[in-house]
Amino acid sequence: MLKTALYAAIGFAAISSIALAEDLSSATAPLTPGTFTTSAHSDEWKIANALSAGPASITEHAAVADWPANPKDGMSHGRMLRQGTNGWTCMPDVPGRPQHDPMCVDETMMKWLMATLAGKKPDIDRVGLSYMLMGEARQGQGAPPAKDPSQVREWFYVGPHIMVVLPDSAKDALGGINQDLSNNQPYISLLSSADVATPIWVIPVAKGGDRIRAEATTRSALGKRAMPRAASVPSSVASTTTDAATQRLSQVDRSQSSLAK
């Protein structure tokens, strides 16, 4: 009797372990068509999901914070899932989207995000950076969040990307940049209709629906550790993105130089 109970307990523990592993694997696996992201996950799942947003050099020591029940309350109302030491914070999926969309932000981008969600002026005085290497699915520019995501007629699938916010003194450098979400080109977005909203520059590094693959580190014939190979990104997208980024950053440098004078 005791032996039977012990075997049953061991079997239950094994099944629970497998279930947990399956749950964590779904943190980065593509969603089943017709389903949407949700906050109904364990903390471990949310941490795994959030950390998939950025490169390991950032996520290794980043904090992880859950979204507040009402995003307009700001991230200060979100629950801290893991403490960090490098000034970066990663967040899991935003609920109600047809694909994973975790995000990692530095301190400046977090300041921008909290102010934008609250409808306040961010007052940005330096460049801020964010990673969304799982990509995201968005409604059109300026569209209010849908109460029922299944009723959204059109989603725009943006590939893995970085987001940049410029200091208020240099934001005019973003004037004239593409605002079309469907052409896989860098674009600007406000994410808020407030008059004080500050634009961000979204720079895709792959097409919508694509994933960036981390390739294994190789070794040279001499047995020495070689440099890791770069992530796989379509060459046409990388070339277009690099040219656009270089041109726009040059405009930012000129803008800041004129202000200094």
Side-chain angles (χ1 to χ4, degrees):
M1 185 74 172
L2 181 59
K3 184 179 293 186
T4 301
L6 179 60
Y7 286 155
I10 293 174
F12 177 78
I15 292 172
S16 298
S17 177
I18 293 172
L20 177 60
E22 290 175 344
D23 182 44
L24 292 183
S25 70
S26 69
T28 55
L31 296 183
T32 302
T35 63
F36 299 92
T37 55
T38 173
S39 60
H41 292 289
S42 67
D43 288 356
E44 291 77 13
W45 189 99
K46 291 179 179 180
I47 291 172
N49 173 257
L51 297 183
S52 68
S57 57
I58 296 295
T59 61
E60 183 178 4
H61 300 293
V64 178
D66 200 1
W67 293 97
N70 181 359
K72 291 185 178 181
D73 290 339
M75 290 306 299
S76 60
H77 292 266
R79 187 165 55 91
M80 188 62 65
L81 303 179
R82 189 184 86 168
Q83 297 294 330
T85 59
N86 62 359
W88 285 79
T89 303
C90 299
M91 289 87 73
D93 294 339
V94 175
R97 305 291 176 85
Q99 79 161 57
H100 292 305
D101 60 353
M103 176 192 308
C104 291
V105 301
D106 67 6
E107 293 174 331
T108 301
M109 187 62 85
M110 177 61 83
K111 177 182 178 181
W112 175 88
L113 181 62
M114 293 179 66
T116 299
L117 291 176
K120 299 178 180 179
K121 188 175 185 299
D123 292 325
I124 302 301
D125 61 358
R126 66 197 65 193
V127 173
L129 183 64
S130 172
Y131 288 95
M132 293 189 75
L133 297 186
M134 293 288 282
E136 67 172 326
R138 288 191 53 185
Q139 297 175 247
Q141 293 271 33
K147 294 181 179 180
D148 182 357
S150 66
Q151 298 302 310
V152 175
R153 293 185 177 182
E154 184 178 21
W155 290 98
F156 293 90
Y157 289 83
V158 183
H161 57 274
I162 62 172
M163 297 184 291
V164 180
V165 62
L166 298 181
D168 293 342
S169 60
K171 66 181 182 181
D172 289 345
L174 297 179
I177 291 183
N178 167 58
Q179 296 187 41
D180 187 348
L181 305 181
S182 66
N183 60 10
N184 296 306
Q185 299 296 313
Y187 65 89
I188 59 171
S189 182
L190 290 173
L191 297 188
S192 171
S193 58
D195 294 337
V196 294
T198 298
I200 54 171
W201 187 17
V202 182
I203 307 174
V205 295
K207 293 181 179 180
D210 286 353
R211 293 284 185 92
I212 295 180
R213 297 193 311 273
E215 298 183 359
T217 301
T218 60
R219 292 179 180 272
S220 67
L222 297 177
K224 295 181 179 179
R225 191 172 184 83
M227 292 295 291
R229 297 174 64 187
S232 176
V233 176
S235 59
S236 59
V237 176
S239 177
T240 302
T241 299
T242 300
D243 292 344
T246 300
Q247 181 180 7
R248 190 56 57 178
L249 288 175
S250 295
Q251 294 178 12
V252 173
D253 288 340
R254 290 197 297 271
S255 174
Q256 291 182 331
S257 295
S258 62
L259 287 173
K261 294 178 182 179

